[in-house]
């Protein structure tokens, strides 16, 4: 291990010497990180929704970190901890089509605290046990590129020789193969209905057990709700509820503080920005107990957080500050409070001339990984914590009317979506019809409208999930893409 660390330090120093003639550009960083993007890209985790979601959130935070590094004069860095599921490669495979093992992937966690692109790139590659040799092939004699504003998200056309060199799959070839044998909804249901029915029947006793445990614990602890952040299987969820039930028997006094709250099983323990009690599924009972014991202090912090939201609202003409868990990375109460406090201090010092209550009825969410304000299709403003106050004022004034129209359209769309879900559930005698959070209301509406034009006897009694890919989940749920053919 010592030799490995020494070798990495030597490699880094050599690369820094080679590239010292100019700073690594954003485009070069993207080129250098190609093996990493191929190993963690969410599109390759279609059969694994939990791992796909983790990688999506981590890539979003990583892109924000890389954009920070490219901002002139930006020096305020916070260590950023990231977790990725990295696709495992077969050790002796030279065939492009067999370059990744069927066993799947491994979890990798690391913390970024570097202040330049080169060190960051090397840290990422080394943390994921990926080669850094190709970084030396960058064109060191060229002048710095003029970076576009959204370099990190810019689509890249990669040379075919790259795939033969690395052994990674060529996405264009994969797309061509998929198009040659295009899956249709009917053909896929023909091939997978029997498997789904078998898994669903097997899961029914566990589903009943899960519902029973959830009702009992919710009643005993007087909870508002019990939720899961990830798409864990039914058996896994039952195990988590049994674990919470044992804690209730062992330490009933500490759970009095959770009355009226929502409990969310997730990857880390604490209290979320929305005020939900998070129980990390990898944590032991002692850790959960500490969270329950500290809940009164968390509730005090939540009151201060609500006060900050109110003060920001007053400074911005009455616009409501909201937090949308389905659209934002999962934040702890402490992280969200820090974000709000920083933004509030910046607003207070800038003294923006918003007329009181002129923006009442509008909504905004704060994001720490964006650098320009935007307006979501659902009508809420997405405001970067680092946004220039003057630019923020102009943007909100310019988009206020459009935001009101979008909010009204959102209400209409939500009503239409619910009606179509109810109609489809009844029409096909489904036991349940739902969608993944990444599927928009517009996509769900389009999907349901087209489903209702079909005759699909296969779906009777099934659990149907609208997603971005075809899959039969371990408990028999059928996943179909919203834009099925």
């Amino acid at each position: 291990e010592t030799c490995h660390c020494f070798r990495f330090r030597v490699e880094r120093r050599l690369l820094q010497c080679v590239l010292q003639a100019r700073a690594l550009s954003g485009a070069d960083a993207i080129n250098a990180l190609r093996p990493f993007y191929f190993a963690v890209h969410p599109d390759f985790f279609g059969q694994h929704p939990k791992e796909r979601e983790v990688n999506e959130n981590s890539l979003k935070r990583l892109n924000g970190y890389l954009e920070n590094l490219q901002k002139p004069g930006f020096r305020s860095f916070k260590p950023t901890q990231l977790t990725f599921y990295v696709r495992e490669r077969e050790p002796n495979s030279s065939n492009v089509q067999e370059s990744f093992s069927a066993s799947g992937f491994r979890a990798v966690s690391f913390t970024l605290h570097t202040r330049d692109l080169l060190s960051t790139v090397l840290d990422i590659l080394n943390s994921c046990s990926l080669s850094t040799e190709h970084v030396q092939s960058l064109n060191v004699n060229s002048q710095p590129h003029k970076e576009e504003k959204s370099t990190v998200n810019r689509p890249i056309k990669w040379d075919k020789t790259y795939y033969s060199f690395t052994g990674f799959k060529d996405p264009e070839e994969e797309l061509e193969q998929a198009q040659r044998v295009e899956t249709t909804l009917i053909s896929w249901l023909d091939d997978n209905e029997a498997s789904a029915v078998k898994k669903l029947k097997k899961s029914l006793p566990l589903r009943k057990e899960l519902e029973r445990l959830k009702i009992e614990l919710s009643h005993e602890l007087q909870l508002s709700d019990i939720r899961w952040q990830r798409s864990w299987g039914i058996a896994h969820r039952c195990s988590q509820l049994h674990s919470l039930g044992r804690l209730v028997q062992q330490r009933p006094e500490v759970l009095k503080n959770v009355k009226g709250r929502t409990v969310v099983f997730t990857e880390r323990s604490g209290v979320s920005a929305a005020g939900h009690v998070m129980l990390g599924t990898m944590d032991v009972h002692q850790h959960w107990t500490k969270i329950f014991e500290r809940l009164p202090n968390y509730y005090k912090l939540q009151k201060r957080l609500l006060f900050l939201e109110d003060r920001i609202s007053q400074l911005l003409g009455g616009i409501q500050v909201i937090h949308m868990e389905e659209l934002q990375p999962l934040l702890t109460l402490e992280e969200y409070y820090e974000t709000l406090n920083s933004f509030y201090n910046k607003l207070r010092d800038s003294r923006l001339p918003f007329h009181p209550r002129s923006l009442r009825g509008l909504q905004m969410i704060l994001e720490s990984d964006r650098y320009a304000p935007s307006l979501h299709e659902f009508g809420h403003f997405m405001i970067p914590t680092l946004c220039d106050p003057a630019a923020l004022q102009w943007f909100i004034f310019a988009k206020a009317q459009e935001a009101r129209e979008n909010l009204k359209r959102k209400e209409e769309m939500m009503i239409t979506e619910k009606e179509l879900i109810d109609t489809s559930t009844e029409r096909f005698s489904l036991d349940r019809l739902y969608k993944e959070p990444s599927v928009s209301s517009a996509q769900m509406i389009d999907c349901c409208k087209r489903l209702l034009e079909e005759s699909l006897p296969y779906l009777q009694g099934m659990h149907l999930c609208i997603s971005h890919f075809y899959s039969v989940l371990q408990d028999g749920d059928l996943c179909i893409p919203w834009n099925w053919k």
Side-chain angles (χ1 to χ4, degrees):
E1 184 176 346
T2 303
C3 292
H4 176 75
C5 293
F6 175 76
R7 180 174 62 81
F8 175 63
R9 288 196 296 268
V10 171
E11 287 179 353
R12 171 185 282 183
R13 182 60 191 148
L14 287 172
L15 285 169
Q16 287 173 333
C17 291
V18 170
L19 298 170
Q20 65 183 356
R22 64 175 176 87
L24 194 68
S25 72
D28 288 334
I30 293 295
N31 289 338
L33 287 173
R34 286 174 180 173
F36 166 76
Y37 285 131
F38 255 83
V40 305
H41 199 283
D43 285 354
F44 293 107
F45 290 80
Q47 302 287 336
H48 307 280
K50 170 192 169 184
E51 290 74 15
R52 177 190 179 98
E53 188 174 358
V54 171
N55 283 10
E56 284 176 345
N57 289 334
S58 293
L59 278 175
K60 186 177 180 181
R61 297 178 66 196
L62 173 60
N63 286 346
Y65 191 94
L66 294 176
E67 287 181 16
N68 258 345
L69 293 177
Q70 298 171 70
K71 289 177 67 69
F74 190 81
R75 291 292 178 266
S76 177
F77 285 91
K78 290 171 53 180
T80 299
Q81 184 174 359
L82 301 171
T83 296
F84 287 97
Y85 286 94
V86 181
R87 292 195 293 158
E88 287 280 64
R89 295 198 56 191
E90 294 284 6
N92 301 315
S93 176
S94 58
N95 188 310
V96 173
Q97 298 300 321
E98 300 175 355
S99 58
F100 287 96
S101 68
S103 60
F105 38 76
R106 54 192 166 87
V108 174
S109 296
F110 53 92
T111 301
L112 295 179
H113 47 73
T114 46
R115 294 174 176 266
D116 65 276
L117 281 172
L118 176 59
S119 297
T120 302
V121 166
L122 294 175
D123 274 354
I124 294 170
L125 294 173
N126 186 68
S127 297
C128 296
S129 302
L130 296 170
S131 173
T132 59
E133 294 178 2
H134 63 283
V135 182
Q136 301 176 51
S137 66
L138 295 172
N139 185 0
V140 298
N141 296 319
S142 64
Q143 296 300 313
H145 302 296
K146 292 183 179 179
E147 297 298 318
E148 294 182 2
K149 194 170 185 179
S150 58
T151 303
V152 175
N153 295 318
R154 178 173 57 85
I156 295 176
K157 181 80 172 178
W158 296 336
D159 192 88
K160 297 292 183 183
T161 56
Y162 167 73
Y163 305 107
S164 58
F165 170 72
T166 62
F168 290 124
K169 295 181 181 179
D170 184 343
E172 289 187 357
E173 286 186 7
E174 288 186 313
L175 180 61
E176 289 172 3
Q177 290 176 3
Q179 289 174 339
R180 282 196 295 269
V181 188
E182 188 173 39
T183 302
T184 65
L185 177 61
I186 300 298
S187 65
W188 186 82
L189 288 174
D190 279 337
D191 294 338
N192 292 276
E193 180 203 9
S195 170
V197 169
K198 183 178 179 180
K199 290 180 178 180
L200 180 61
K201 285 183 178 179
K202 186 178 179 181
S203 75
L204 289 179
L206 275 176
R207 290 181 187 270
K208 292 180 180 178
E209 173 72 358
L210 178 66
E211 190 63 22
R212 182 187 67 80
L213 289 169
K214 185 176 177 181
I215 292 173
E216 287 183 0
L217 281 171
S218 296
H219 177 73
E220 186 171 1
L221 298 175
Q222 299 182 57
L223 299 175
S224 174
D225 195 10
I226 298 177
R227 301 178 190 170
W228 285 265
Q229 186 203 1
R230 305 295 182 203
S231 301
W232 284 299
I234 304 298
H236 195 169
R237 296 186 182 202
C238 284
S239 175
Q240 291 159 0
L241 291 185
H242 278 300
S243 187
L244 179 58
R246 287 193 296 271
L247 181 58
V248 173
Q249 299 301 318
Q250 297 165 5
R251 298 291 304 276
E253 73 282 357
V254 301
L255 283 106
K256 294 178 181 178
N257 298 325
V258 80
K259 178 181 177 180
R261 296 283 166 165
T262 292
V263 168
V264 182
F265 288 97
T266 181
E267 294 177 337
R268 54 177 174 167
S269 297
V271 174
S272 73
H276 303 326
V277 180
M278 303 188 301
L279 299 181
T281 57
M282 300 302 291
D283 291 335
V284 295
H285 279 184
Q286 288 88 338
H287 200 165
W288 286 6
T289 300
K290 289 179 181 178
I291 295 299
F292 289 123
E293 289 174 341
R294 293 171 54 196
L295 284 179
N297 292 328
Y298 278 115
Y299 298 156
K300 291 177 183 177
L301 179 60
Q302 189 178 23
K303 288 182 180 178
R304 292 164 57 192
L305 184 149
L306 293 174
F307 173 77
L308 270 180
E309 288 184 337
D310 186 59
R311 294 294 298 145
I312 291 172
S313 176
Q314 292 179 29
L315 292 174
L316 292 178
I319 190 171
Q320 181 186 9
V321 183
I322 61 173
H323 182 79
M324 304 181 71
E325 288 185 318
E326 65 273 21
L327 295 178
Q328 296 176 264
L330 187 67
L331 297 176
T332 63
L333 202 63
E334 299 95 324
E335 291 169 341
Y336 188 48
Y337 179 84
E338 185 179 344
T339 298
L340 283 172
N341 192 46
S342 173
F343 185 71
Y344 168 68
N345 290 332
K346 190 172 186 178
L347 277 183
R348 182 188 57 191
D349 295 340
S350 65
R351 299 179 181 276
L352 292 177
F354 281 97
H355 190 277
R357 298 182 297 279
S358 61
L359 298 176
R360 287 187 66 180
L362 296 182
Q363 299 174 339
M364 61 168 277
I365 63 175
L366 276 176
E367 295 201 332
S368 57
D369 52 359
R370 289 177 178 264
Y371 305 98
S374 62
L375 178 62
H376 193 272
E377 62 176 342
F378 276 176
H380 58 268
F381 289 96
M382 304 173 75
I383 306 299
T385 54
L386 300 173
C387 184
D388 174 65
L392 171 62
Q393 179 189 7
W394 176 88
F395 184 82
I396 291 178
F397 280 150
K399 296 288 186 176
Q401 183 57 36
E402 183 180 349
R404 295 186 190 280
E405 294 170 358
N406 286 3
L407 281 170
K408 183 178 180 181
R409 191 180 305 117
K410 172 192 174 182
E411 294 176 2
E412 297 170 349
M413 192 174 291
M414 298 294 282
I415 294 173
T416 302
E417 180 183 9
K418 185 180 183 307
E419 289 175 348
L420 284 169
I421 289 175
D422 292 343
T423 302
S424 300
T425 301
E426 182 179 354
R427 162 79 181 277
F428 300 114
S429 300
L430 288 163
D431 194 70
R432 185 187 178 203
L433 173 59
Y434 63 104
K435 68 174 184 177
E436 286 192 342
S438 56
V439 175
S440 70
S441 290
Q443 291 169 338
M444 187 67 172
I445 289 171
D446 176 73
C447 177
C448 289
K449 284 182 175 179
R450 293 189 299 112
L451 280 175
L452 288 169
E453 296 174 357
E454 302 292 327
S455 175
L456 300 169
Y458 317 84
L459 299 181
Q460 184 173 354
M462 300 302 294
H463 292 242
L464 182 63
C465 173
I466 307 304
S467 177
H468 296 278
F469 53 87
Y470 285 105
S471 175
V472 177
L473 301 185
Q474 61 185 5
D475 294 304
D477 294 46
L478 290 165
C479 287
I480 65 170
W482 70 270
N483 57 344
W484 55 270
K485 305 297 183 184

